[in-house]
Amino acid sequence: MAILLASVLAQLAAIALAIGPSSDLHIANQAISPDGFSRSAVLAGADANSLAFPGPVITAQKDDTFNLNVVDALTDTTMLRTTSIHWHGFFQAGTAWADDSNPKTRREHSGITPTIVSLRPLPSSSSELTIGIVSQYCDGLRGAMVVYDSNDPHLSLYDVDNEDTVITLGDWYHIPAPSAGLVPTPDSTLINGKGRYAGGPAAPLAVIVVNQNRRYRFRLVSISCDPNYVFSIDGHTMTIIEADGVSVTPHTVDNLQIFAGQRYSFVLNANQDVANYWIRANPNVGATGFNGGLNSAILRYVGAADADPVSTQTPFSNALSETNLHPLGSSGVPGLPQPGGADVNINLNILFDFATLKFKVNDVTFHEPSVPVLLQILSGAQTAQDLLPEGSVYVLPPNSVVELSMPGGSTGSPHPIHLHGHTFHVVRSSGSSTYNYIDPVQRDVVSIGQANDNVTIRFVTDNAGPWILHCHIDWHLVLGLSIVFAEDPATIAAGPHPPAAWDALCPAYDALPPGTR
């Protein structure tokens, strides 16, 4: 009874951390030690007394509107003190100004003027709260957003879906991002905000409690700055039902590789013996393996002892292949069923310039403009020649099919590429030479793989706005691995225009004393 009560109380405590759809979101500094090493971090909470890593789960029901009041109370001079929130996985139709991502629409919150943003959620989606100013994301400002759908087509497949079944995977660094170097190595992996580092203490690990013979919808969210992870749970398979907010035909695997910014929902049937089982997330960089509880968490059946698992990892036999994921009710891929069969076809060649220590896309390094691209368009700029930064803005016509091909293999590969404003059809995945124009996975973050890969995606320009496409390895984004699509500039210029509160942010930011940003 005591064990059952403890598990129930733990679940209730976790649920209390959820906020939304209308809430304050306080951003402030606080010292934490999620892996046993104490450092100051950039954290989010419903108020100044509930700051945490990851931040509170922000939830809503389908067709709700989020109204989130972002309050910047950052003070630590070792890290950036202005901030800008990006609502990863939400497409901001008609509200591109609220996408708040560096640097196409961003206006920084300075602590002077709290800003309310509104966004409409997608059905049954698992999304991510990310940060848009340089590498502040890596200092702790990360979290999950979940939209619940009472008419979810997979509702009959699971019994439990709540804030307790959200699993976040993130890398953690002991040195603040501004002084950590170009591409630092993570010190640890945190699962739901807890982990251990090599040579460190046996810090507490995250415990996820399940009842035997119940079916759980777990929402796996990568809030990683850099690593991708091979994720598995000893003794259990995972039936994937959603990728990046898009429901897919159920597909069962025993492990999956998840890249920075990606999300998966999977159903786990808790049909094993009452015991503890290792949850494993092996990174591709940093300390790998599971000795001493590295890269691990615990799946604990109600009634099991309060102890580390003794389960073992069996050899994998059924890894996730992206080409095996197919959206429910697919109506096919827009455009002609052949490479180059779109209205607009663009090849994006990525390389790293060792002379400048910057990335280039089609021979151009992205440099943040002094004026957001959205404001440039609202001020009359319409063509790529008029829009800054020069060479990094691609103008797209409305109601057209766009195909992007992205060869892999550049320095720092594999790069997880994220497009704002859209989901896209992955007609060619990494590790495959086959093109699927019938029912490929639809998502908003895709790995472009290694040499000999040529990942190809398609989308329709039906959402006017300046949408950034970038590597979701945050260190690479800082080094210039991004471009902006100015989609349908005429419609952007015609409105609706941003609210007055948005217009007030730039003057507030520009008025800040030197050294306080």
mmCIF file of all heavy atoms in Angstrom, residues 310-356:
data_model
loop_
_atom_site.group_PDB
_atom_site.id
_atom_site.type_symbol
_atom_site.label_atom_id
_atom_site.label_comp_id
_atom_site.label_asym_id
_atom_site.label_seq_id
_atom_site.Cartn_x
_atom_site.Cartn_y
_atom_site.Cartn_z
ATOM 1 N N VAL A 310 17.561 -4.574 -12.550
ATOM 2 C CA VAL A 310 18.578 -5.573 -12.877
ATOM 3 C C VAL A 310 18.300 -6.146 -14.267
ATOM 4 O O VAL A 310 18.885 -7.158 -14.651
ATOM 5 C CB VAL A 310 18.609 -6.710 -11.823
ATOM 6 C CG1 VAL A 310 19.072 -6.166 -10.488
ATOM 7 C CG2 VAL A 310 17.247 -7.380 -11.698
ATOM 8 N N SER A 311 17.439 -5.480 -15.021
ATOM 9 C CA SER A 311 17.104 -5.952 -16.369
ATOM 10 C C SER A 311 18.308 -5.804 -17.284
ATOM 11 O O SER A 311 19.204 -4.989 -17.050
ATOM 12 C CB SER A 311 15.919 -5.160 -16.928
ATOM 13 O OG SER A 311 16.247 -3.787 -17.074
ATOM 14 N N THR A 312 18.330 -6.591 -18.339
ATOM 15 C CA THR A 312 19.407 -6.537 -19.323
ATOM 16 C C THR A 312 18.840 -6.162 -20.687
ATOM 17 O O THR A 312 17.667 -6.398 -20.982
ATOM 18 C CB THR A 312 20.132 -7.888 -19.425
ATOM 19 O OG1 THR A 312 19.183 -8.904 -19.760
ATOM 20 C CG2 THR A 312 20.814 -8.225 -18.113
ATOM 21 N N GLN A 313 19.708 -5.590 -21.491
ATOM 22 C CA GLN A 313 19.320 -5.193 -22.849
ATOM 23 C C GLN A 313 19.573 -6.350 -23.803
ATOM 24 O O GLN A 313 20.704 -6.800 -23.961
ATOM 25 C CB GLN A 313 20.109 -3.954 -23.277
ATOM 26 C CG GLN A 313 19.696 -3.374 -24.615
ATOM 27 C CD GLN A 313 20.506 -2.122 -24.950
ATOM 28 O OE1 GLN A 313 21.720 -2.087 -24.752
ATOM 29 N NE2 GLN A 313 19.828 -1.103 -25.435
ATOM 30 N N THR A 314 18.524 -6.836 -24.424
ATOM 31 C CA THR A 314 18.671 -7.912 -25.401
ATOM 32 C C THR A 314 19.051 -7.328 -26.751
ATOM 33 O O THR A 314 18.787 -6.151 -27.025
ATOM 34 C CB THR A 314 17.371 -8.713 -25.524
ATOM 35 O OG1 THR A 314 16.305 -7.823 -25.900
ATOM 36 C CG2 THR A 314 17.027 -9.380 -24.207
ATOM 37 N N PRO A 315 19.684 -8.098 -27.634
ATOM 38 C CA PRO A 315 20.061 -7.573 -28.959
ATOM 39 C C PRO A 315 18.835 -7.061 -29.716
ATOM 40 O O PRO A 315 17.768 -7.691 -29.708
ATOM 41 C CB PRO A 315 20.680 -8.790 -29.649
ATOM 42 C CG PRO A 315 21.153 -9.655 -28.532
ATOM 43 C CD PRO A 315 20.155 -9.482 -27.422
ATOM 44 N N PHE A 316 19.003 -5.905 -30.366
ATOM 45 C CA PHE A 316 17.902 -5.328 -31.131
ATOM 46 C C PHE A 316 17.630 -6.176 -32.373
ATOM 47 O O PHE A 316 18.548 -6.698 -33.007
ATOM 48 C CB PHE A 316 18.230 -3.908 -31.564
ATOM 49 C CG PHE A 316 18.342 -2.922 -30.426
ATOM 50 C CD1 PHE A 316 19.282 -1.898 -30.467
ATOM 51 C CD2 PHE A 316 17.506 -3.004 -29.325
ATOM 52 C CE1 PHE A 316 19.384 -0.980 -29.437
ATOM 53 C CE2 PHE A 316 17.600 -2.094 -28.272
ATOM 54 C CZ PHE A 316 18.542 -1.085 -28.333
ATOM 55 N N SER A 317 16.359 -6.274 -32.727
ATOM 56 C CA SER A 317 15.992 -7.010 -33.932
ATOM 57 C C SER A 317 15.002 -6.254 -34.804
ATOM 58 O O SER A 317 14.685 -6.682 -35.908
ATOM 59 C CB SER A 317 15.377 -8.367 -33.562
ATOM 60 O OG SER A 317 14.205 -8.192 -32.778
ATOM 61 N N ASN A 318 14.519 -5.089 -34.322
ATOM 62 C CA ASN A 318 13.457 -4.396 -35.061
ATOM 63 C C ASN A 318 13.568 -2.892 -34.837
ATOM 64 O O ASN A 318 12.718 -2.264 -34.211
ATOM 65 C CB ASN A 318 12.084 -4.916 -34.604
ATOM 66 C CG ASN A 318 10.966 -4.433 -35.502
ATOM 67 O OD1 ASN A 318 11.179 -4.022 -36.632
ATOM 68 N ND2 ASN A 318 9.745 -4.479 -34.986
ATOM 69 N N ALA A 319 14.624 -2.309 -35.380
ATOM 70 C CA ALA A 319 14.849 -0.873 -35.229
ATOM 71 C C ALA A 319 13.879 -0.081 -36.097
ATOM 72 O O ALA A 319 13.427 -0.553 -37.154
ATOM 73 C CB ALA A 319 16.289 -0.523 -35.604
ATOM 74 N N LEU A 320 13.573 1.124 -35.667
ATOM 75 C CA LEU A 320 12.734 2.004 -36.478
ATOM 76 C C LEU A 320 13.473 2.437 -37.731
ATOM 77 O O LEU A 320 14.613 2.898 -37.670
ATOM 78 C CB LEU A 320 12.341 3.248 -35.675
ATOM 79 C CG LEU A 320 11.639 4.346 -36.487
ATOM 80 C CD1 LEU A 320 10.298 3.864 -37.028
ATOM 81 C CD2 LEU A 320 11.484 5.610 -35.667
ATOM 82 N N SER A 321 12.817 2.283 -38.867
ATOM 83 C CA SER A 321 13.264 2.892 -40.113
ATOM 84 C C SER A 321 12.222 3.927 -40.503
ATOM 85 O O SER A 321 11.018 3.626 -40.549
ATOM 86 C CB SER A 321 13.396 1.846 -41.225
ATOM 87 O OG SER A 321 13.654 2.475 -42.471
ATOM 88 N N GLU A 322 12.652 5.147 -40.761
ATOM 89 C CA GLU A 322 11.712 6.224 -41.084
ATOM 90 C C GLU A 322 10.827 5.875 -42.278
ATOM 91 O O GLU A 322 9.659 6.296 -42.348
ATOM 92 C CB GLU A 322 12.486 7.520 -41.361
ATOM 93 C CG GLU A 322 11.617 8.747 -41.529
ATOM 94 C CD GLU A 322 12.450 10.000 -41.681
ATOM 95 O OE1 GLU A 322 13.127 10.136 -42.732
ATOM 96 O OE2 GLU A 322 12.431 10.864 -40.774
ATOM 97 N N THR A 323 11.351 5.082 -43.202
ATOM 98 C CA THR A 323 10.575 4.719 -44.391
ATOM 99 C C THR A 323 9.402 3.798 -44.063
ATOM 100 O O THR A 323 8.524 3.595 -44.917
ATOM 101 C CB THR A 323 11.472 4.047 -45.445
ATOM 102 O OG1 THR A 323 12.096 2.897 -44.857
ATOM 103 C CG2 THR A 323 12.540 5.012 -45.936
ATOM 104 N N ASN A 324 9.368 3.247 -42.846
ATOM 105 C CA ASN A 324 8.253 2.386 -42.446
ATOM 106 C C ASN A 324 7.131 3.153 -41.752
ATOM 107 O O ASN A 324 6.151 2.544 -41.311
ATOM 108 C CB ASN A 324 8.747 1.271 -41.529
ATOM 109 C CG ASN A 324 9.543 0.221 -42.280
ATOM 110 O OD1 ASN A 324 9.296 -0.031 -43.454
ATOM 111 N ND2 ASN A 324 10.514 -0.378 -41.607
ATOM 112 N N LEU A 325 7.274 4.456 -41.642
ATOM 113 C CA LEU A 325 6.224 5.278 -41.050
ATOM 114 C C LEU A 325 5.367 5.892 -42.156
ATOM 115 O O LEU A 325 5.895 6.497 -43.095
ATOM 116 C CB LEU A 325 6.828 6.391 -40.191
ATOM 117 C CG LEU A 325 7.605 5.939 -38.954
ATOM 118 C CD1 LEU A 325 8.168 7.153 -38.213
ATOM 119 C CD2 LEU A 325 6.736 5.105 -38.020
ATOM 120 N N HIS A 326 4.048 5.743 -42.021
ATOM 121 C CA HIS A 326 3.126 6.227 -43.047
ATOM 122 C C HIS A 326 1.970 6.956 -42.369
ATOM 123 O O HIS A 326 1.357 6.421 -41.432
ATOM 124 C CB HIS A 326 2.589 5.066 -43.880
ATOM 125 C CG HIS A 326 3.666 4.204 -44.465
ATOM 126 N ND1 HIS A 326 4.465 4.607 -45.509
ATOM 127 C CD2 HIS A 326 4.111 2.956 -44.115
ATOM 128 C CE1 HIS A 326 5.331 3.651 -45.803
ATOM 129 N NE2 HIS A 326 5.144 2.642 -44.968
ATOM 130 N N PRO A 327 1.658 8.165 -42.797
ATOM 131 C CA PRO A 327 0.585 8.923 -42.147
ATOM 132 C C PRO A 327 -0.778 8.286 -42.362
ATOM 133 O O PRO A 327 -1.040 7.686 -43.413
ATOM 134 C CB PRO A 327 0.666 10.297 -42.821
ATOM 135 C CG PRO A 327 1.325 10.036 -44.140
ATOM 136 C CD PRO A 327 2.276 8.903 -43.907
ATOM 137 N N LEU A 328 -1.642 8.397 -41.365
ATOM 138 C CA LEU A 328 -3.008 7.932 -41.523
ATOM 139 C C LEU A 328 -3.720 8.761 -42.592
ATOM 140 O O LEU A 328 -3.572 9.984 -42.643
ATOM 141 C CB LEU A 328 -3.769 8.065 -40.201
ATOM 142 C CG LEU A 328 -3.487 7.051 -39.099
ATOM 143 C CD1 LEU A 328 -4.365 7.371 -37.894
ATOM 144 C CD2 LEU A 328 -3.744 5.626 -39.568
ATOM 145 N N GLY A 329 -4.486 8.092 -43.432
ATOM 146 C CA GLY A 329 -5.293 8.804 -44.414
ATOM 147 C C GLY A 329 -4.498 9.621 -45.401
ATOM 148 O O GLY A 329 -4.920 10.707 -45.816
ATOM 149 N N SER A 330 -3.334 9.141 -45.798
ATOM 150 C CA SER A 330 -2.488 9.891 -46.717
ATOM 151 C C SER A 330 -3.184 10.087 -48.056
ATOM 152 O O SER A 330 -3.788 9.172 -48.611
ATOM 153 C CB SER A 330 -1.162 9.156 -46.936
ATOM 154 O OG SER A 330 -0.384 9.824 -47.905
ATOM 155 N N SER A 331 -3.100 11.305 -48.577
ATOM 156 C CA SER A 331 -3.673 11.611 -49.890
ATOM 157 C C SER A 331 -2.598 11.765 -50.952
ATOM 158 O O SER A 331 -2.853 12.306 -52.034
ATOM 159 C CB SER A 331 -4.522 12.884 -49.812
ATOM 160 O OG SER A 331 -3.745 13.972 -49.332
ATOM 161 N N GLY A 332 -1.400 11.284 -50.666
ATOM 162 C CA GLY A 332 -0.319 11.367 -51.629
ATOM 163 C C GLY A 332 0.506 12.626 -51.468
ATOM 164 O O GLY A 332 0.198 13.507 -50.668
ATOM 165 N N VAL A 333 1.580 12.691 -52.238
ATOM 166 C CA VAL A 333 2.525 13.802 -52.181
ATOM 167 C C VAL A 333 2.170 14.808 -53.279
ATOM 168 O O VAL A 333 1.916 14.415 -54.418
ATOM 169 C CB VAL A 333 3.960 13.283 -52.362
ATOM 170 C CG1 VAL A 333 4.959 14.436 -52.417
ATOM 171 C CG2 VAL A 333 4.322 12.322 -51.230
ATOM 172 N N PRO A 334 2.147 16.100 -52.965
ATOM 173 C CA PRO A 334 1.855 17.086 -54.006
ATOM 174 C C PRO A 334 2.954 17.126 -55.059
ATOM 175 O O PRO A 334 4.113 16.828 -54.785
ATOM 176 C CB PRO A 334 1.768 18.400 -53.233
ATOM 177 C CG PRO A 334 2.591 18.177 -52.002
ATOM 178 C CD PRO A 334 2.407 16.727 -51.654
ATOM 179 N N GLY A 335 2.588 17.496 -56.279
ATOM 180 C CA GLY A 335 3.544 17.559 -57.380
ATOM 181 C C GLY A 335 3.582 16.279 -58.174
ATOM 182 O O GLY A 335 2.838 15.330 -57.917
ATOM 183 N N LEU A 336 4.455 16.243 -59.170
ATOM 184 C CA LEU A 336 4.602 15.061 -60.013
ATOM 185 C C LEU A 336 5.433 13.998 -59.309
ATOM 186 O O LEU A 336 6.353 14.324 -58.549
ATOM 187 C CB LEU A 336 5.271 15.450 -61.337
ATOM 188 C CG LEU A 336 4.508 16.464 -62.207
ATOM 189 C CD1 LEU A 336 5.326 16.841 -63.433
ATOM 190 C CD2 LEU A 336 3.145 15.911 -62.604
ATOM 191 N N PRO A 337 5.146 12.715 -59.550
ATOM 192 C CA PRO A 337 5.854 11.627 -58.849
ATOM 193 C C PRO A 337 7.223 11.336 -59.447
ATOM 194 O O PRO A 337 7.500 10.227 -59.925
ATOM 195 C CB PRO A 337 4.895 10.443 -59.010
ATOM 196 C CG PRO A 337 4.210 10.710 -60.302
ATOM 197 C CD PRO A 337 4.044 12.194 -60.392
ATOM 198 N N GLN A 338 8.107 12.321 -59.378
ATOM 199 C CA GLN A 338 9.469 12.170 -59.900
ATOM 200 C C GLN A 338 10.347 13.237 -59.265
ATOM 201 O O GLN A 338 9.852 14.304 -58.874
ATOM 202 C CB GLN A 338 9.485 12.335 -61.426
ATOM 203 C CG GLN A 338 9.012 13.705 -61.888
ATOM 204 C CD GLN A 338 8.733 13.766 -63.370
ATOM 205 O OE1 GLN A 338 8.175 12.848 -63.954
ATOM 206 N NE2 GLN A 338 9.142 14.867 -64.004
ATOM 207 N N PRO A 339 11.646 12.970 -59.122
ATOM 208 C CA PRO A 339 12.538 14.004 -58.590
ATOM 209 C C PRO A 339 12.463 15.263 -59.448
ATOM 210 O O PRO A 339 12.456 15.202 -60.684
ATOM 211 C CB PRO A 339 13.920 13.353 -58.674
ATOM 212 C CG PRO A 339 13.653 11.877 -58.617
ATOM 213 C CD PRO A 339 12.358 11.697 -59.369
ATOM 214 N N GLY A 340 12.379 16.400 -58.786
ATOM 215 C CA GLY A 340 12.258 17.660 -59.509
ATOM 216 C C GLY A 340 10.856 17.940 -60.011
ATOM 217 O O GLY A 340 10.662 18.886 -60.783
ATOM 218 N N GLY A 341 9.865 17.177 -59.547
ATOM 219 C CA GLY A 341 8.509 17.321 -60.046
ATOM 220 C C GLY A 341 7.670 18.323 -59.283
ATOM 221 O O GLY A 341 6.444 18.151 -59.177
ATOM 222 N N ALA A 342 8.274 19.368 -58.762
ATOM 223 C CA ALA A 342 7.562 20.405 -58.019
ATOM 224 C C ALA A 342 7.558 21.704 -58.818
ATOM 225 O O ALA A 342 8.227 21.820 -59.856
ATOM 226 C CB ALA A 342 8.211 20.619 -56.655
ATOM 227 N N ASP A 343 6.810 22.705 -58.354
ATOM 228 C CA ASP A 343 6.817 24.021 -58.998
ATOM 229 C C ASP A 343 8.128 24.748 -58.746
ATOM 230 O O ASP A 343 8.632 25.474 -59.601
ATOM 231 C CB ASP A 343 5.653 24.869 -58.478
ATOM 232 C CG ASP A 343 4.306 24.226 -58.735
ATOM 233 O OD1 ASP A 343 4.072 23.777 -59.876
ATOM 234 O OD2 ASP A 343 3.481 24.153 -57.801
ATOM 235 N N VAL A 344 8.658 24.574 -57.534
ATOM 236 C CA VAL A 344 9.924 25.198 -57.147
ATOM 237 C C VAL A 344 10.828 24.092 -56.619
ATOM 238 O O VAL A 344 10.454 23.372 -55.691
ATOM 239 C CB VAL A 344 9.716 26.274 -56.059
ATOM 240 C CG1 VAL A 344 11.056 26.885 -55.652
ATOM 241 C CG2 VAL A 344 8.754 27.348 -56.530
ATOM 242 N N ASN A 345 12.004 23.937 -57.217
ATOM 243 C CA ASN A 345 12.952 22.896 -56.819
ATOM 244 C C ASN A 345 14.261 23.551 -56.390
ATOM 245 O O ASN A 345 14.879 24.279 -57.175
ATOM 246 C CB ASN A 345 13.206 21.933 -57.980
ATOM 247 C CG ASN A 345 11.936 21.233 -58.430
ATOM 248 O OD1 ASN A 345 11.487 20.277 -57.816
ATOM 249 N ND2 ASN A 345 11.338 21.726 -59.521
ATOM 250 N N ILE A 346 14.661 23.305 -55.151
ATOM 251 C CA ILE A 346 15.852 23.953 -54.601
ATOM 252 C C ILE A 346 16.759 22.893 -53.998
ATOM 253 O O ILE A 346 16.305 22.055 -53.200
ATOM 254 C CB ILE A 346 15.478 24.980 -53.513
ATOM 255 C CG1 ILE A 346 14.528 26.051 -54.075
ATOM 256 C CG2 ILE A 346 16.731 25.633 -52.935
ATOM 257 C CD1 ILE A 346 13.976 26.989 -53.016
ATOM 258 N N ASN A 347 18.011 22.912 -54.356
ATOM 259 C CA ASN A 347 19.013 22.058 -53.711
ATOM 260 C C ASN A 347 19.762 22.894 -52.690
ATOM 261 O O ASN A 347 20.206 24.016 -52.974
ATOM 262 C CB ASN A 347 20.001 21.505 -54.738
ATOM 263 C CG ASN A 347 21.013 20.573 -54.099
ATOM 264 O OD1 ASN A 347 20.694 19.472 -53.673
ATOM 265 N ND2 ASN A 347 22.272 21.034 -54.025
ATOM 266 N N LEU A 348 19.889 22.378 -51.481
ATOM 267 C CA LEU A 348 20.573 23.077 -50.398
ATOM 268 C C LEU A 348 21.830 22.304 -50.042
ATOM 269 O O LEU A 348 21.768 21.228 -49.447
ATOM 270 C CB LEU A 348 19.659 23.203 -49.187
ATOM 271 C CG LEU A 348 18.365 23.999 -49.419
ATOM 272 C CD1 LEU A 348 17.470 23.940 -48.183
ATOM 273 C CD2 LEU A 348 18.667 25.445 -49.795
ATOM 274 N N ASN A 349 22.959 22.852 -50.411
ATOM 275 C CA ASN A 349 24.241 22.203 -50.172
ATOM 276 C C ASN A 349 24.880 22.802 -48.923
ATOM 277 O O ASN A 349 25.124 24.010 -48.845
ATOM 278 C CB ASN A 349 25.168 22.392 -51.369
ATOM 279 C CG ASN A 349 26.438 21.583 -51.239
ATOM 280 O OD1 ASN A 349 26.406 20.405 -50.880
ATOM 281 N ND2 ASN A 349 27.577 22.213 -51.496
ATOM 282 N N ILE A 350 25.135 21.958 -47.944
ATOM 283 C CA ILE A 350 25.668 22.401 -46.652
ATOM 284 C C ILE A 350 27.143 22.042 -46.557
ATOM 285 O O ILE A 350 27.539 20.919 -46.881
ATOM 286 C CB ILE A 350 24.897 21.746 -45.498
ATOM 287 C CG1 ILE A 350 23.428 22.179 -45.519
ATOM 288 C CG2 ILE A 350 25.533 22.074 -44.151
ATOM 289 C CD1 ILE A 350 22.543 21.369 -44.599
ATOM 290 N N LEU A 351 27.952 22.997 -46.120
ATOM 291 C CA LEU A 351 29.369 22.718 -45.872
ATOM 292 C C LEU A 351 29.841 23.542 -44.698
ATOM 293 O O LEU A 351 29.198 24.516 -44.293
ATOM 294 C CB LEU A 351 30.214 22.998 -47.118
ATOM 295 C CG LEU A 351 30.246 24.413 -47.702
ATOM 296 C CD1 LEU A 351 31.264 25.300 -46.983
ATOM 297 C CD2 LEU A 351 30.603 24.374 -49.179
ATOM 298 N N PHE A 352 30.972 23.124 -44.139
ATOM 299 C CA PHE A 352 31.584 23.853 -43.036
ATOM 300 C C PHE A 352 32.861 24.495 -43.536
ATOM 301 O O PHE A 352 33.721 23.828 -44.122
ATOM 302 C CB PHE A 352 31.896 22.925 -41.858
ATOM 303 C CG PHE A 352 32.399 23.646 -40.638
ATOM 304 C CD1 PHE A 352 31.527 24.366 -39.834
ATOM 305 C CD2 PHE A 352 33.741 23.609 -40.301
ATOM 306 C CE1 PHE A 352 31.984 25.029 -38.706
ATOM 307 C CE2 PHE A 352 34.211 24.271 -39.173
ATOM 308 C CZ PHE A 352 33.330 24.982 -38.375
ATOM 309 N N ASP A 353 32.984 25.809 -43.318
ATOM 310 C CA ASP A 353 34.157 26.569 -43.743
ATOM 311 C C ASP A 353 35.153 26.604 -42.582
ATOM 312 O O ASP A 353 34.926 27.294 -41.583
ATOM 313 C CB ASP A 353 33.724 27.979 -44.144
ATOM 314 C CG ASP A 353 34.864 28.806 -44.723
ATOM 315 O OD1 ASP A 353 36.039 28.450 -44.493
ATOM 316 O OD2 ASP A 353 34.582 29.806 -45.409
ATOM 317 N N PHE A 354 36.243 25.866 -42.712
ATOM 318 C CA PHE A 354 37.209 25.789 -41.625
ATOM 319 C C PHE A 354 38.022 27.079 -41.475
ATOM 320 O O PHE A 354 38.661 27.289 -40.438
ATOM 321 C CB PHE A 354 38.141 24.591 -41.820
ATOM 322 C CG PHE A 354 37.483 23.276 -41.518
ATOM 323 C CD1 PHE A 354 36.832 22.560 -42.516
ATOM 324 C CD2 PHE A 354 37.484 22.761 -40.238
ATOM 325 C CE1 PHE A 354 36.204 21.353 -42.241
ATOM 326 C CE2 PHE A 354 36.860 21.547 -39.946
ATOM 327 C CZ PHE A 354 36.210 20.841 -40.951
ATOM 328 N N ALA A 355 37.988 27.947 -42.489
ATOM 329 C CA ALA A 355 38.682 29.227 -42.375
ATOM 330 C C ALA A 355 37.927 30.185 -41.473
ATOM 331 O O ALA A 355 38.522 30.893 -40.653
ATOM 332 C CB ALA A 355 38.867 29.844 -43.764
ATOM 333 N N THR A 356 36.596 30.203 -41.598
ATOM 334 C CA THR A 356 35.776 31.113 -40.794
ATOM 335 C C THR A 356 35.140 30.424 -39.589
ATOM 336 O O THR A 356 34.556 31.084 -38.730
ATOM 337 C CB THR A 356 34.657 31.720 -41.646
ATOM 338 O OG1 THR A 356 33.808 30.665 -42.127
ATOM 339 C CG2 THR A 356 35.236 32.477 -42.831
#
